[in-house]
Structures are given as structure tokens and as C-alpha cells.
Amino acid sequence: MRHFMLAIRPALTWLSRTALYISGAGLVAMTAIVGWQVFARYVLNDTPSWAEPMSLQLMSWFILLGAAVGVRESVHLGLDYVRHYAPAPVQRTMDLLSLGLIFLFGLAMSFYATLLSIGTWTATIPVLGWPGGVDFFPMIGGGVLIAIFAAERFLDVMLGAAVAADVLVQEAA
Amino acid sequence: MAYSILFGTFALLMMIGMPIAFCLGIASVATVLYMGLPPIVVFQQMNSGMNVFAMMAIPFFIFAGDLMVRGGIAARLIRFAAGLVGHMRGGLGQVNVVASTLFGGISGSAVADASAVGGLMIPQMAARGYDRSYAVNITVNAAIIALLIPPSHNMILYSIAAGGTVSVADLFTAGIVPGMLLAAALMVTAYIVARRRGYPAEPFPGLRRLGYFFLASLPGLLLIAIIFGGVRSGVFTATESSCIAVFYALIVALLVYRELDWHGFIEAVLQAVRTTAMVLLVIGTAASFGWLMSFLQVQQSMVILISAISDNPIIVLLMINIALLLLGTFMDMAPLVIISTPVLLPVVKAFGIDPVHFGVVMILNAGIGLNTPPVGTVLFVGCAVGGITIREAMRTIWPFFGASVGVLLLVTYIPGLSLWLPALFK
Amino acid sequence: QEITLRSADIHPDGYPTVEAVKYMGELVSERTKGRIKIEVMNNATLGNEKDTIEQTRFGVIDMNRVNAAPFNNLVPETTVLGLPFIFRSTEHMHKTVDGPIGEQVLAAFEPHGLIGLAFYDSGARSFYSTKKPIEKLEDLKGMKIRVQQSDLWIAMMEAFGANPTPMPMGEVYSSLETGVVDGAENNWPSYESARHFEVAKNYTLTEHSLNPEILVISKIAWDKLTPEDQTVVRQAAKDSVGKMRELWAAREKVSEEKVRAAGNTIIKVNKEEFSAAMKPVYDRFVTDPKMKALLEQVQAVQ
Ligand code: NA
Ligand code: NA
């Protein structure tokens, strides 16, 4: 198991970096699109109606890929109080429970988002004209990534390995 | 019973240290499974919750704020503040407050404020013989001003959590007077403490140099006018103003001050992803949680419950404030605002309290919570920047904390402080 | 066994659609001796119209009262009812939906997991503007008009010569106030209750759309009812229509009086001129033979 983790670690690191960069590119693209919307409205006197639905699509990818990276890098937006003062074995159990549930939640997100995508496929997204199901692609992809990274950390905790990337990032308060 | 599953699972998961976005989502799934509803609704609502155009303002404002720190805009505002009030008693303490107020006018992030202003001011203050704890205390309390003075992405968060029924332009305007009041209260406190401890004042740089500092900081000051003026007059929406702030910060940093390089830009982008993606995911799963609360009619029960305790708005507001302060000790600002707004807003509305006024109360209250351990993000940042322990900071924080809570009480019980200015624009 | 049917609505208490479904609930309860009840969860507490349509299809909630427009993508037949100027008058609209055409459209919901129960009124939608009053078609040229996020509505505004600006209903008031848009369009009650009449003082009676509201029940909930109960529910829905029309007419009158009392300018126009501009919309949205046939049927109703 330890060998397996060592073997796949570079691939997982690559995956999370790629997700982080795509998410960042999404933010830059959102900025450009909304900027264009303002410019077009005031300078060209013509509101591009695609700008809002397009930037919303990008935002969903931005959120879910970024949040998946957050799972791997252990971004905490929670109350770490009880856990912090618990004895080590209890802490370990809490972490396993927490990561195991996140893993299941990621899978459930992918599964139900797939159902939603199929169920809304025949509808069309206004203005963009894409199938309605496209709306759920970020949740399908993000759910899988969240499950993968939660599984990685679950196995790390179980094996007692040093946690992969324990960057504690501050939230945007 | 469904109530207990929803809130019980949520509380339990939070205690084992699970990130709040997942606590909310998993508690929702557990509840629909118990009720025999299709779990698909949880994910449908999560998707809807993340498809709100106004949410984009949150990463944009964070991104812009980071660019302004990296691009030298923040440093020039602080230098201008130093020239302006440094000659008062406890000069650098006063500078810290004014710098936070100016920085608050271009950024809505208390964390960014504490690290930007604290990073420059705390070492200077320590070098001039101020106690580090004094420097940290003043930094972290003044950082809350950024949440009240527009722009404030937390007010946008409140507006989203209120279902988009509260005007962002009104909230922005309503925060100004309370923000100024907090600044004044902290300056007076800084003065009193400085007198007692015999802290020095700085020499006045002279009008010529002050004028130069002013001119150098003008691009930053101009942004305050662009954002507030633009949103207030309706030339652009809050979301658009946040995007304009990004472009503006980029232009100033690249072309005027020339302090930003490609590497710094990439860093700023990735930092914005790391700090905001999880917050936005919280908005998504909180939408599912909120949908279940509506389905179970939790809000109506809350109104009935609180009415049974008291029908006096003064008491109700006091109870809500105390509850929020307690929750704020162990919850971060964004989740606190996102989760408690939909529950409390119907209650305060039932008691005839204005949603804009309540928004300011909630933001200030949750902002104070950023300085209360065990989860006190801004306090932690301030202590890290100042190189002291939280225990050390807590020993002497009381006068400043008292001033902040005092302002909270004034803002709570004098609605005019919040509502007078927005009414002028009607 | 007792059954409570949960029904969604985006409007507040007292709104005609909400009260009509409550009235239907009374009828059902009376006729089943309290066995079946209807609980209206209004004020968009369960989400926007698009969300609640999906929830009804998945069986999360049982009934839903929604405008015909959000159904367009799902049930193409509903598009015809939303075409601009398709109805000559409210009577024409009532005759159409009360007759075989209405039955045909309601029946078209079944393959999509919904049972169409009844049509409600949504009044006539007209333009309103802040600065420039709209007195003829030419006045709309280049005006920024708020529309719903819908291809049909965007195409309609383009055909009128306006500059369509899609945005959610909640942002319209401040957008009118601050000039982000120059105008919008809606029926009397919404123009009044959303307070848009305070900021957009010119109401132009184009009456370009009479798109009705539709009441549906989830097929999942429907299949759980006995055939006798199904008959009771369907009949009670039909019986609530008359009540709804009464409430609607009263509400429209109250709103109109309130707007007139506020001193707003009410403008009558030559509707022919506006209706003549709509050909590109018909050409684009009525393409397949089934839709064309339905359109001709509607136009033939006297
Ligand atoms: Na601010
Ligand atoms: Na706290």
C-alpha cells in the first residue's frame, strides 16, 4: 500500500496542480468576460447576452476544481476546536471518518450530477444554446476529483504517512 | 426529528474538523435520506446555489485586493496615512487605524487588511518602542473596518444569503458611518492606551511631503471613488465594479507603479483560487441546507420560538447579537453569514427591523468574531505577522475589543447610523 | 391513508395563483373528507421556477404552479402560447386553453414526468420605460429592455428593435432606478407589486404577451393516487380556474388603480404596428409541422 501511494503520488500532485491552474485560468477568463461586458455596454452600447451565462459556466469550474484542490491541501473553513484538543488516536479516527465521508460525498455528487445532466439534456441553456445538462459537468468532474483527493488523504492518515500537502490556507474573511 | 438530523449531523461533523462546505452537504444528504426524499435535490440546489452572478464579486474583490498589495497601492496608502495622523499621541497606532480605513476603501477583506497594514506597521511600531501586543491588538481590530467600508464582499455574501432581496448599493452605503465610527472609537482607544503607556508621537512630515504622499497614493484613493460612486450611481453593478477593480489594480500596478511582474500576477491568481473556491462551495452546499430548512419550515418555527421568549425588538436584537458573538468565536465569517442570514432575517423582519440595518449589525458582529479564539482568522494573521502568541495578544486586547463591541451596540440600537446615509441617496 | 400534496409557487401570499391553489386544496379536502390536502409552499422557498420544475419531475415535491415560459425547453408545445400577439384578446386566450387545444398542450406534459392540470391567467404584459415614453415602435429602437433569460424573449426584443438585457427579476428595480436598463415589460400586478411603477413612470399598453400560467402535478405523485382520487384532483384543479380568473381580474384592477393614482402616464398604442414586427420570431420558433399545425389551430379559434 505504501508503495502504491508512493507510486501514484506524482500523478496526484500533477492532477491537483493542473486543477489549480485551470481554476486560475477560469478566474482570469471570468474577469476578461465581465470586463468585456461592461466595456461593450458603455462603449459599444450593446450588451453581449452570452457574457453572463458564459462566466457562470466558468465560475462553476472555478469553484469545484479549486475546492477539490482545497480538499488535498487541507483548507479548513471549519471548527477545529474539539479535534484539536482530542488525544491522537481519537483525532485519527475523526480524520478517517471525515475524509471517508468527503470521499462518499464526492462520489455522490458525481453520480447525482450525472443523473441531473441526463435529465436536463434535452433542455437548452438560454443564449448559449448548449444542452441543459452541460450545467452539471463541473459537479461531475469536481465530484470525482474531490473523491480522489479525499481517498489519498484517507489512505495517508490510515498508513500514518506524512500528509501530502498540508498547506493551511486562510479563508477570505 | 428531521430537524435534529439536519442540525445534529451538521454540528457533529463540524466538531470532528470537517470543512464546513462538506458538513452542510453531508448533513443535507443525511436528512433527505431520512425523510425518504430523492437525494438528487441536494445536488440540484447546490448547483443552483453556485450559479449566482453576484457571487463572482467575491473572487474578483479578493483578487483585486491581492494585486493592490503586491502592486504597491496599499503601501502608498499607508504612507499617506502616516503623514496624516502620525503626529498625534500614539502616532503609529493612529496611523494603523487610518491606514486600515483607507485600505478598507479598496478591499473588503479583513485578513488582507491585517496582513497588509500589520506587515508594514507592526515592525515599525516595535522599532519605535511600542509593545508588540499593542501593535497587534490595534491592527486586528482596525482590520474589521474593511468589512464595513465599501467595497465589502461579505456584504455581497449577506445579500446573496438573503436571496438577493437586499440591495448591495444600500448595504455598501449603510456601512460607511458605522465604519467611520469604529475607526473613531479605535483612535480614541489608541490615544488613551498610548497616553497611559507613554508612547511617542511622530514628527509631522510637513505639508509639502504630505502633499507628495497624497499624490502618490491618489490612484488608490481614486479607486475608492470609482467603486463606490459607480455602484451607488448604478453605472455598474457590484459584480462589475469588482471586475473593474481588478483591471484598475492591474493597470496601476503594471503601468503606474511598475511593481508587479508576471510571477506576482500568477501568485495573485492562485491565491485568489485558494482563498475563495472553498467559500463559494460553502454557498453551494448552504443552498441545499437552506432548501431543507425551508422545506422543514425552520424559519417559521424560529420566529415562533423567539416571539415566545420576547416580543421586544431590543431584547430580540440583544439575543441575536449574543448568539452571533458566541457562534462567531468558533465559526469563520463567511459560513456564519451564509448560514445564519436565512434563519435570522425572517425573524428580524417579523420584528420590524430593516434588513439593511441588520446586515450591518451582522457583518460587524461576525467581524468581531474574527478576533475571538478558538477560530479567529484575523487575530491569527495579526499574531503571525507580529510574531507573538495568541495568549499574549489576548491579555491586552480588551480595551480595543471593548471599543468594537461598544460600536456594535451603538450600531444595533441606533438604526439611523446605518440607515441615514442610504436614505439620502433615495 | 392521509396524503398531503406539496405545491410550489414563487409568488407571495395573497397572489391570485397562490390563493387559487389553496382554494383547490379546500375543494380536494372537502371532496375526499379530509383525506387529501394541498400545502402551498410559496414565495420561492423551494427555489426558482426552473428548479421546482425539476423537483416536481423527480418527485421531491408534488405540484407546481409555473408560467408557461420555463416549460418551453421541456414541452415545445408550450412555446406557441408564449408567442407575441398570438392571442387577440383575453377571451381568445381563455377559449383556446379551455378547449381541445388546451387539453392537447396539457397532455404533452406526460412523457416528461408531469401531468398538466390547468391553465391560470397571467394577464397581458406591456412595456414600461423610465425616461422616454414608448408611443410607437420606433421609440423602442436601441432602448435597453430587461427580459427573462429565454431565447424566445431575447428574439422578441430584438424583433422590436430594442437592446435585450437579460437579468433576474430581483435586480430590475435598481437597474431601472440607476439606468442600467431603460425599461422592462410585465403585467399590471407585477409592475405595481415589484414597485417598478415608482421608477418607470410610462406604461405602454402593447399587451404583447398573454402567456398563461400552468398548474402541474408530478407523475410520481399522480400514480400513487387511486383513479377516483385522480378524478377529484383533476376536477378540483379545473374548478379553481374560475376562482383564479375572478381573483386575477380583481387584482389587476387594484394594481391599475394604484398605478393611475400615482400619476403615471398610461399610453395607448397602435398594436398592429408592434405585432407586424414579430414575423422573424414566428419564423424562428415555429419550424416543425406539429408546431405550425398547433399555431394554425390557435389562430382559428373564434
Ligand atoms: Na472595504
Ligand atoms: Na472567532
Side-chain angles (χ1 to χ4, degrees):
Chain A
M1 200 68 211
R2 257 171 232 278
H3 291 294
F4 173 71
M5 289 306 287
L6 272 176
I8 61 162
R9 187 82 72 208
L12 291 174
T13 304
W14 177 86
L15 196 60
S16 102
R17 281 200 76 75
T18 308
L20 181 66
Y21 276 91
I22 295 176
S23 190
L27 176 63
V28 174
M30 271 153 61
T31 316
I33 290 173
V34 177
W36 171 253
Q37 188 187 12
V38 180
F39 180 80
R41 190 170 74 225
Y42 283 103
V43 183
L44 312 178
N45 197 28
D46 179 27
T47 310
S49 53
W50 57 268
E52 189 165 326
M54 189 66 174
S55 53
L56 282 172
Q57 292 287 328
L58 287 169
M59 183 162 68
S60 293
W61 282 108
F62 165 82
I63 297 172
L64 284 151
L65 294 180
V69 174
V71 169
R72 185 166 202 256
E73 295 185 347
S74 168
V75 176
H76 269 269
L77 276 186
L79 143 98
D80 228 358
Y81 195 42
V82 175
R83 183 190 165 280
H84 190 79
Y85 289 99
V90 178
Q91 223 174 63
R92 188 165 169 275
T93 315
M94 285 176 164
D95 287 350
L96 288 177
L97 180 63
S98 162
L99 291 165
L101 284 172
I102 294 174
F103 169 75
L104 292 177
F105 185 75
L107 289 185
M109 190 197 296
S110 263
F111 175 74
Y112 286 107
T114 308
L115 291 188
L116 281 162
S117 178
I118 295 168
T120 57
W121 194 261
T122 52
T124 38
I125 299 176
V127 185
L128 297 181
W130 302 348
V134 173
D135 258 343
F136 296 96
F137 283 4
M139 281 174 77
I140 300 174
V144 171
L145 273 186
I146 286 171
I148 290 175
F149 293 142
E152 180 196 9
R153 290 192 50 216
F154 182 91
L155 292 174
D156 280 336
V157 173
M158 212 174 69
L159 298 169
V163 176
D166 214 359
V167 192
L168 195 82
V169 180
Q170 297 298 351
E171 84 143 302
Chain B
M1 184 60 196
Y3 275 42
S4 336
I5 296 202
L6 186 67
F7 291 104
T9 314
F10 173 66
L12 207 73
L13 294 176
M14 248 184 31
M15 276 192 279
I16 67 168
M18 184 184 278
I20 287 198
F22 297 104
C23 300
L24 290 164
I26 293 168
S28 305
V29 172
T31 312
V32 295
L33 287 176
Y34 169 77
M35 292 171 66
L37 293 173
I40 200 163
V41 67
V42 172
F43 299 95
Q44 181 213 37
Q45 284 303 302
M46 185 177 163
N47 186 61
S48 291
M50 291 186 300
N51 260 307
V52 179
F53 189 65
M55 270 166 69
M56 235 168 272
I58 296 162
F60 286 171
F61 273 134
I62 295 287
F63 185 27
D66 201 12
L67 289 173
M68 287 184 274
V69 175
R70 288 174 205 270
I73 299 174
R76 284 172 180 81
L77 285 175
I78 294 169
R79 191 174 60 178
F80 172 54
L84 206 60
V85 293
H87 57 282
M88 291 167 70
R89 167 74 78 167
L92 293 180
Q94 314 291 356
V95 171
N96 196 318
V97 178
V98 174
S100 278
T101 312
L102 291 179
F103 185 80
I106 53 170
S107 144
S109 164
V111 170
D113 194 319
S115 52
V117 178
L120 278 160
M121 292 304 300
I122 296 172
Q124 275 190 54
M125 290 173 80
R128 296 281 288 136
Y130 290 76
D131 278 324
R132 277 182 174 272
S133 64
Y134 173 85
V136 169
N137 289 334
I138 209 161
T139 300
V140 298
N141 277 284
I144 306 170
I145 298 170
L147 306 167
L148 293 171
I149 305 261
S152 168
H153 64 259
N154 281 290
M155 285 188 173
I156 295 171
L157 221 56
Y158 171 79
S159 167
I160 294 171
T165 55
V166 189
S167 146
V168 171
D170 283 350
L171 284 167
F172 275 15
T173 320
I176 295 177
V177 174
M180 295 294 179
L181 190 66
L182 180 57
L186 290 173
M187 284 179 80
V188 170
T189 312
Y191 177 84
I192 295 170
V193 177
R195 250 187 101 93
R196 202 177 302 154
R197 298 195 187 174
Y199 290 144
E202 304 299 308
F204 185 66
L207 279 175
R208 268 182 80 92
R209 280 187 66 74
L210 184 61
Y212 167 73
F213 292 160
F214 171 73
L215 283 179
S217 70
L218 205 55
L221 295 172
L222 207 58
L223 183 57
I224 303 178
I226 293 174
I227 293 177
F228 181 67
V231 173
R232 191 64 259 184
S233 65
V235 174
F236 30 78
T237 64
T239 311
E240 291 168 347
S241 84
S242 63
C243 178
I244 289 167
V246 173
F247 279 104
Y248 186 91
L250 265 178
I251 291 168
V252 172
L254 289 174
L255 303 179
V256 183
Y257 297 152
R258 302 182 185 194
E259 287 186 13
L260 189 74
D261 55 10
W262 179 243
H263 180 73
F265 176 75
I266 300 279
E267 285 290 305
V269 172
L270 298 185
Q271 186 64 18
V273 174
R274 286 194 160 103
T275 46
T276 56
M278 268 296 194
V279 174
L280 299 186
L281 190 71
V282 174
I283 301 182
T285 49
S288 311
F289 197 84
W291 184 90
L292 270 164
M293 287 201 292
S294 296
F295 197 84
L296 300 169
Q297 308 192 327
V298 171
Q299 287 92 336
Q300 286 94 317
S301 316
M302 272 298 277
V303 175
I304 295 166
L305 180 76
I306 292 189
S307 311
I309 302 173
S310 170
D311 53 10
N312 181 341
I314 296 178
I315 309 273
V316 170
L317 274 173
L318 189 68
M319 288 194 306
I320 288 179
N321 262 321
I322 292 171
L324 283 175
L325 280 173
L326 288 175
L327 285 171
T329 57
F330 60 77
M331 246 165 115
D332 248 325
M333 177 142 191
L336 181 60
V337 172
I338 297 167
I339 298 165
S340 58
T341 301
V343 183
L344 295 177
L345 199 58
V347 176
V348 299
K349 272 187 181 165
F351 284 89
I353 295 154
D354 189 283
V356 172
H357 172 215
F358 183 65
V360 178
V361 172
M362 158 112 45
I363 297 297
L364 177 52
N365 189 314
I368 291 172
L370 293 172
N371 286 328
T372 54
V375 180
T377 313
V378 171
L379 181 67
F380 297 169
V381 170
C383 288
V385 172
I388 61 170
T389 64
I390 292 158
R391 200 178 294 268
E392 281 175 86
M394 288 303 288
R395 260 206 301 272
T396 51
I397 204 170
W398 302 107
F400 299 98
F401 189 72
S404 301
V405 173
V407 172
L408 174 63
L409 286 175
L410 287 177
V411 170
T412 303
Y413 290 117
I414 311 176
L417 291 174
S418 313
L419 300 177
W420 169 73
L421 203 53
L424 282 191
F425 284 94
K426 290 278 175 217
Chain C
Q1 190 205 339
E2 287 201 4
I3 303 171
T4 300
L5 300 170
R6 290 192 179 89
S7 184
D9 199 305
I10 57 163
H11 290 302
D13 269 325
Y15 200 84
T17 55
V18 175
E19 295 309 312
V21 178
K22 285 185 186 164
Y23 174 74
M24 172 189 167
E26 285 166 26
L27 295 181
V28 170
S29 175
E30 225 174 81
R31 294 171 189 176
T32 60
K33 303 196 171 55
R35 236 178 346 98
I36 304 179
K37 291 191 175 64
I38 295 177
E39 184 185 357
V40 183
M41 305 190 75
N42 57 330
N43 250 336
T45 42
L46 300 181
N48 60 35
E49 294 190 323
K50 181 174 156 276
D51 284 352
T52 54
I53 289 172
E54 285 167 24
Q55 287 166 21
T56 320
R57 292 176 64 206
F58 293 129
V60 177
I61 53 177
D62 309 301
M63 289 170 58
N64 203 353
R65 194 289 316 156
V66 191
N67 189 265
F71 282 120
N72 290 354
N73 285 327
L74 191 68
V75 187
E77 286 83 349
T78 57
T79 311
V80 173
L81 306 178
L83 289 168
F85 298 107
I86 181 161
F87 299 114
R88 296 182 299 274
S89 61
T90 306
E91 292 73 54
H92 179 200
M93 191 269 284
H94 284 168
K95 272 191 184 157
T96 307
V97 299
D98 290 347
I101 301 173
E103 290 307 319
Q104 190 189 331
V105 175
L106 290 181
F109 281 83
E110 189 158 354
H112 305 284
L114 297 167
I115 304 291
L117 291 176
F119 289 98
Y120 283 172
D121 279 26
S122 189
R125 295 175 77 103
S126 291
F127 282 101
Y128 43 92
S129 55
T130 49
K131 297 189 196 86
K132 192 167 88 178
I134 300 160
E135 283 162 345
K136 48 191 182 308
L137 182 62
E138 208 187 276
D139 293 331
L140 271 168
K141 203 167 180 60
M143 270 179 116
K144 288 188 284 248
I145 302 288
R146 176 266 167 175
V147 286
Q148 311 167 66
Q149 271 280 13
S150 137
D151 290 327
L152 175 67
W153 280 92
I154 291 170
M156 213 191 291
M157 289 308 135
E158 279 167 352
F160 279 129
N163 185 354
T165 308
M167 69 171 64
M169 184 70 176
E171 289 173 21
V172 180
Y173 182 91
S174 64
S175 299
L176 286 167
E177 192 182 21
T178 55
V180 170
V181 294
D182 305 314
E185 49 78 55
N186 222 317
N187 52 33
W188 280 111
S190 297
Y191 178 50
E192 178 261 316
S193 66
R195 298 189 294 120
H196 295 174
F197 77 102
E198 294 172 3
V199 281
K201 299 264 185 196
N202 310 293
Y203 195 70
T204 303
L205 296 165
T206 46
E207 301 183 328
H208 48 269
S209 170
L210 281 161
N211 207 11
E213 309 277 326
I214 298 177
L215 180 66
V216 295
I217 184 166
S218 164
K219 188 148 189 330
I220 296 172
W222 185 252
D223 290 343
K224 284 186 198 149
L225 298 175
T226 62
E228 297 77 45
D229 286 346
Q230 286 179 350
T231 313
V232 170
V233 169
R234 205 188 273 282
Q235 191 55 45
K238 294 270 179 261
D239 293 347
S240 70
V241 171
K243 176 89 172 171
M244 197 282 162
R245 288 180 184 165
E246 235 171 74
L247 290 168
W248 183 266
R251 172 68 183 242
E252 219 168 26
K253 203 158 157 245
V254 169
S255 295
E256 182 178 343
E257 275 164 10
K258 207 166 158 188
V259 172
R260 285 185 189 272
N264 285 22
T265 316
I266 315 297
I267 304 157
K268 279 212 190 292
V269 288
N270 173 15
K271 288 208 265 176
E272 309 280 294
E273 186 196 8
F274 287 82
S275 135
M278 292 300 103
K279 192 167 179 316
V281 180
Y282 280 68
D283 290 347
R284 181 171 156 202
F285 288 91
V286 187
T287 42
D288 67 277
K290 211 170 76 182
M291 299 270 281
K292 276 186 182 146
L294 190 60
L295 173 63
E296 277 164 23
Q297 276 175 286
V298 173
Q299 284 168 335
V301 173
Q302 283 308 317

